[in-house]
Amino acid sequence: MDDLIVEQEAIMLARTTESVRMREEAQSVLAGGVASSWQDAPPCAVWIDRGKGSRIWDVDGFEYSDFHGGFGVGLAGHAHPAIVEAVQDRVTKGTHFAQPTEDAIVVGRELAKRYGLPLWRYNNSGTEATMDAFHLMRVATGRSKVIKVEGSYHGHHDAAQVSVYPRIEQAGSVEQPNSVRYSTGIPDPMAQLTIIVPFADLAAVERALATHKGEIAGMIVEPIMMNIGMIPPPAGYLADLKDLLHKHGAWLTFDEVKTGFGVAPGGATELLGVTPDLLCTAKAMAGGLPCGAIGGVPELMGLIADRTYEQVGTFNGNPLTMAAARATMQSVLTGDAYRHLDRLREAQVSGCEDVLKRYDLPGFVRAFGAKGAVIFTDRLENYRDFLNYDDQWGNAHWLYQHNGGAFLPPWGKCEQWTMSVQHTMEDVNCFVRNFETFARALRGGTIA
Ligand SMILES: Cc1ncc(COP(=O)(O)O)c(C=O)c1O
């Protein structure tokens, strides 16, 4: 595996010379030579020139089927005609007033219909959406602590930056993990207000509620974990979790920043049939423009309405993002689009499963809606399993896909593919072909 990675990194570097040059040029003005730290992955940050449909082109002119989707944003694909039209129309009428426009009502109705929650507010990112959720649960209960799952990522505000990817030496016991701050930028007293539990472990939540009796405002959970591969919850877990939290006067927030729109029209809430008290979404909701949203039950969102909690932001409900969000929900992410995604997903999953079997590789495929991942380990049910999962597999797979013209997110074992409504079977075939090239290389070039 190590040899294959060295070889594939050399191939990648040899054809991304302009990316390397731009990265060097950028170092003088951008810290680390990139615009966000996770845009940089070994062997080099790939600089993009443009995108159209399911394809993107890097600055060296190399074309890819885009399975990265800008970290899960790209359900609409690139330059979708409906988004282009909506943005072009809005841009000529002014793009910012810090006063609401009609599209905000239309988008709110769409969100309410998809997620079954009546009241919404907007912001600009997943981070802002989950930050509002932490605040709102605290305001509603007068309590300070929030339960979070070990290994989940909910954005980069203080309360969420706890036990994101803790090292095993720091993580504490499996049953009662430590609250480990992601960096020293998070004050430790702040981190101690975020109580950590393993995924899908109700007993651990019950223990946390007992240990911190009367102090827990609520819990935030990704209904399908998506930043440590892909982990669905066991049957009944989310419904029981909601009941348990309510029994203790605490609230349940779903972080659907990644799952929202991606796994079903109404996200994991629709797919799994449990409606939370608060729901955060962002990424795919505005067809590639930066937008976030928080929705919830009247008991919580009413605290915004009566101004107990001032949910604010200069760009909240920005006219351009609202126009794009309206077009995304009304014209792009339609029933037909999800049926198309279902067909693509089935083909990609069965293609990858076939390769795993024929080449006798470890692992399995998980996929929901537009999203999926090949998981190169026998068991992935929580963060401790993730720690035992050798990341060289995902890394090598990423390189093979990249050199074969399919752009996956880097950080192989953390991330997953995202397909867009503009993907076709040609894109799927490219992905499966690259996967077989990787499998064959691992098996010493023998064709199964
Ligand atoms: C589940 C989840 N929540 C929140 C966030 C933060 O979103 P943003 O990067 O838009 O702030 C992310 C980003 O990857 C995410 O995956």
Side-chain angles (χ1 to χ4, degrees), residues 41 53 102 105-106 116 209 284 304 339 389 409 441-442:
E102 191 196 350
I105 304 175
V106 180
L209 287 161
I304 296 177
R339 282 184 284 281
Y389 171 10
L442 275 167

Side-chain angles (χ1 to χ4, degrees), residues 125-128 130 153-156 222 227 255 257-258 282-283:
S125 67
T127 294
E128 290 183 34
T130 66
Y153 179 71
H154 299 297
H156 62 278
E222 260 196 297
N227 285 292
D255 178 348
V257 168
K258 263 191 165 170
K283 296 222 190 238

Side-chain angles (χ1 to χ4, degrees), residues 142 157 162 283 337 389 428:
H157 58 93
V162 183
K283 296 222 190 238
Y389 171 10
V428 169

Side-chain angles (χ1 to χ4, degrees), residues 328-408:
T328 302
M329 289 177 222
Q330 293 196 324
S331 309
V332 179
L333 299 181
T334 59
D336 280 349
Y338 282 96
R339 282 184 284 281
H340 176 62
L341 287 167
D342 286 344
R343 285 190 290 275
L344 297 178
R345 181 190 66 252
E346 280 159 20
Q348 184 137 312
V349 168
S350 66
C352 291
E353 284 176 343
D354 176 57
V355 171
L356 283 174
K357 199 161 146 223
R358 277 192 291 118
Y359 288 85
D360 192 24
L361 299 185
F364 55 97
V365 185
R366 276 190 181 138
F368 302 93
K371 295 176 158 303
V374 183
I375 294 163
F376 299 97
T377 181
D378 293 342
R379 189 194 135 95
L380 185 63
E381 304 300 334
N382 57 38
Y383 181 67
R384 302 299 167 112
D385 293 341
F386 176 81
L387 278 177
N388 289 327
Y389 171 10
D390 179 359
D391 59 5
Q392 292 296 65
W393 284 84
N395 189 14
H397 180 215
W398 176 71
L399 288 164
Y400 270 91
Q401 288 291 356
H402 207 275
N403 288 332
F407 205 130
L408 268 176

Side-chain angles (χ1 to χ4, degrees), residues 229-372:
M230 199 175 240
I231 310 181
Y237 168 68
L238 295 173
D240 291 347
L241 184 60
K242 185 174 170 183
D243 289 347
L244 177 63
L245 290 163
H246 284 187
K247 210 169 82 192
H248 290 263
W251 299 98
L252 175 65
T253 296
F254 279 178
D255 178 348
E256 291 232 38
V257 168
K258 263 191 165 170
T259 52
F261 307 97
V263 300
T269 294
E270 178 190 330
L271 186 75
L272 304 173
V274 178
T275 307
D277 302 309
L278 284 177
L279 187 148
C280 306
T281 192
K283 296 222 190 238
M285 74 172 280
L289 274 78
C291 190
I294 179 165
V297 294
E299 293 95 312
L300 288 161
M301 298 302 284
L303 298 167
I304 296 177
D306 71 12
R307 305 193 70 159
T308 306
Y309 174 57
E310 297 271 22
Q311 193 271 345
V312 293
T314 301
F315 283 101
N316 290 6
N318 170 263
L320 199 60
T321 57
M322 288 295 107
R326 177 181 183 159
T328 302
M329 289 177 222
Q330 293 196 324
S331 309
V332 179
L333 299 181
T334 59
D336 280 349
Y338 282 96
R339 282 184 284 281
H340 176 62
L341 287 167
D342 286 344
R343 285 190 290 275
L344 297 178
R345 181 190 66 252
E346 280 159 20
Q348 184 137 312
V349 168
S350 66
C352 291
E353 284 176 343
D354 176 57
V355 171
L356 283 174
K357 199 161 146 223
R358 277 192 291 118
Y359 288 85
D360 192 24
L361 299 185
F364 55 97
V365 185
R366 276 190 181 138
F368 302 93
K371 295 176 158 303

